[in-house]
Amino acid sequence: MPEDITPQLVGEETVEGIAEAWAELDGRQFRDGTLRLVTRSEELVSIRSVRSSAQPPLFSDDAFSVPLDELDECHYVTPTRSGVAASRQDSVSYHSLSGAVEWAFRHFSWGDDAIGSGACAETPDGLHVLAAVPGTPDSTGEYPGDRFVLLASENGDVLDEAPLPSFSGAYTLDALFGRSPAFLLSAAQGQDGAFSWQVDIVDGRLRLTELAAGEDRVTAVQNGRVLVQDVGGARLRVHSAAPASASAVASEVSPEDLRTTQESFITGDSGFVDASHVIVAVGEEWWSEETEHFLLDTEDLTARHRVRYPFPDGPDPKALGDGTWLTVNGDEVQRWRVAR
């Protein structure tokens, strides 16, 4: 069994509504080299940036809030250089800090009962908005898959688009660690399937590279390594590069390798704490809110430590890639690192 360790608390702040936001698709987003937390209160959406330094305070002083009409219809809200962009039932909209709509890109509706939901993100240069939207039905009401579009941040014009094999997916978009212009696009297909792609813009055109499909999804990419997690929580693999073939798999771990006393599942989003550590949450169900956290070796996914917090912690952690990770407990956000 791995050695028990107590991590060092390096920052803690109260964020109203973070417990609900932690479980939402847009609640925690990597943008421009940092993690953004997105919380909602009535008709107001608030954006906070985790500081690049592990020293207190936990958040940068650039937090802001934007009032949005019918906020409950927004599947996904993301920060932009001048405000926020939102993926709604039938549109992607771009808003100023006052909440005013600067432009809206209309698309076929996800539908009131659809399991699908869009996601959007502005590129680091502020020139483009990436968005996953539904396909357009033909005369029979069918379509082969959803669409991924490249929009101009200035006016919402469509500059390029790519068909997706996913259908009514629940989407997320994350910038890769560091200042990379690339994004990680993931589509959840219910409880049994998923897709993950790396998104690049090359000469003004979209280029999507599939990283995982089927029962696997990518949860993190760093320094040429890709974490691929089973949708049902049965295993976690690390690839030495984008997994174009089975031979690219470097190592694999199952929840039973970490917690052998009972049936267990890997839950949440496993991530790279730094170049040496992967953090993973294990619970009694793949959706468990009460979990144990383990630090694994990035090379072979050998369990190094079981994390024992000095007070109750929340569900899955969020690795920041700089040697630290976040947890939530109620309205409290904590930042941790391995004790020196």
Side-chain angles (χ1 to χ4, degrees):
M1 290 295 293
E3 174 191 5
D4 287 357
I5 64 163
T6 299
Q8 179 183 0
L9 181 66
V10 295
E12 182 176 24
E13 290 196 34
T14 300
V15 177
E16 184 177 351
I18 190 59
E20 294 79 8
W22 202 252
E24 297 295 331
L25 295 177
D26 65 351
R28 32 188 175 159
Q29 311 170 24
F30 278 108
R31 297 289 186 271
D32 299 328
T34 188
L35 183 69
R36 308 292 184 93
L37 300 184
V38 180
T39 56
R40 306 182 186 204
S41 176
E42 296 181 351
E43 295 297 307
L44 197 69
V45 62
S46 298
I47 313 288
R48 293 173 177 83
S49 302
V50 177
R51 291 186 68 216
S52 57
S53 170
Q55 300 300 317
L58 180 57
F59 298 111
S60 302
D61 57 5
D62 59 353
F64 66 95
S65 297
V66 176
L68 290 179
D69 293 336
E70 300 177 329
L71 182 56
D72 58 338
E73 293 186 3
C74 295
H75 297 153
Y76 197 98
V77 180
T78 192
T80 66
R81 292 202 171 190
S82 59
V84 297
S87 290
R88 296 176 178 269
Q89 284 285 91
D90 60 359
S91 67
V92 176
S93 51
Y94 198 86
H95 302 259
S96 66
L97 287 173
S98 69
V101 178
E102 297 189 7
W103 54 257
F105 166 70
R106 301 287 177 181
H107 55 72
F108 182 75
S109 176
W110 290 102
D112 294 336
D113 299 322
I115 61 173
S117 59
C120 53
E122 188 169 59
T123 55
D125 57 15
L127 297 178
H128 306 106
V129 171
L130 303 167
V133 302
T136 302
D138 59 22
S139 58
T140 66
E142 301 293 331
Y143 66 90
D146 296 326
R147 303 159 60 202
F148 193 65
V149 296
L150 178 68
L151 308 175
S153 292
E154 181 181 13
N155 52 23
D157 286 351
V158 178
L159 304 177
D160 193 22
E161 68 175 86
L164 299 174
S166 43
F167 185 94
S168 292
Y171 291 92
T172 57
L173 268 166
D174 270 311
L176 301 186
F177 280 131
R179 297 289 177 176
S180 169
F183 278 80
L184 174 64
L185 171 67
S186 290
Q189 298 268 250
Q191 300 178 6
D192 302 317
F195 291 89
S196 296
W197 302 269
Q198 179 173 317
V199 178
D200 296 278
I201 301 173
V202 180
D203 296 329
R205 304 295 300 273
L206 289 169
R207 184 174 69 189
L208 273 64
T209 305
E210 185 176 284
L211 301 179
E215 296 181 353
D216 293 323
R217 65 188 179 93
V218 173
T219 60
V221 179
Q222 186 183 50
N223 297 333
R225 293 190 179 95
V226 181
L227 280 180
V228 181
Q229 188 169 313
D230 175 71
V231 174
R235 65 183 178 275
L236 176 71
R237 301 199 304 267
V238 62
H239 296 261
S240 57
S245 65
S247 62
V249 177
S251 299
E252 180 176 313
V253 66
S254 70
E256 291 78 16
D257 297 328
L258 304 174
R259 194 170 69 165
T260 59
T261 58
Q262 54 190 301
E263 185 178 19
S264 301
F265 300 85
I266 296 173
T267 185
D269 291 334
S270 302
F272 293 104
V273 173
D274 53 28
S276 301
H277 299 89
V278 168
I279 195 163
V280 59
V282 178
E284 295 183 7
E285 304 288 350
W286 66 265
W287 61 84
S288 295
E289 293 188 2
E290 295 183 5
T291 60
E292 289 185 87
H293 301 170
F294 296 85
L295 289 170
L296 316 180
D297 190 290
T298 56
E299 292 288 344
D300 57 12
L301 295 184
T302 299
R304 289 185 175 183
H305 306 290
R306 178 170 56 180
V307 182
R308 294 301 197 191
Y309 298 97
F311 45 79
D313 63 294
D316 58 303
K318 189 65 174 178
L320 300 181
D322 60 356
T324 68
W325 68 93
L326 297 185
T327 60
V328 298
N329 180 22
D331 283 342
E332 300 300 314
V333 182
Q334 294 98 15
R335 188 174 193 173
W336 308 90
R337 67 182 171 201
V338 176
R340 296 176 177 175

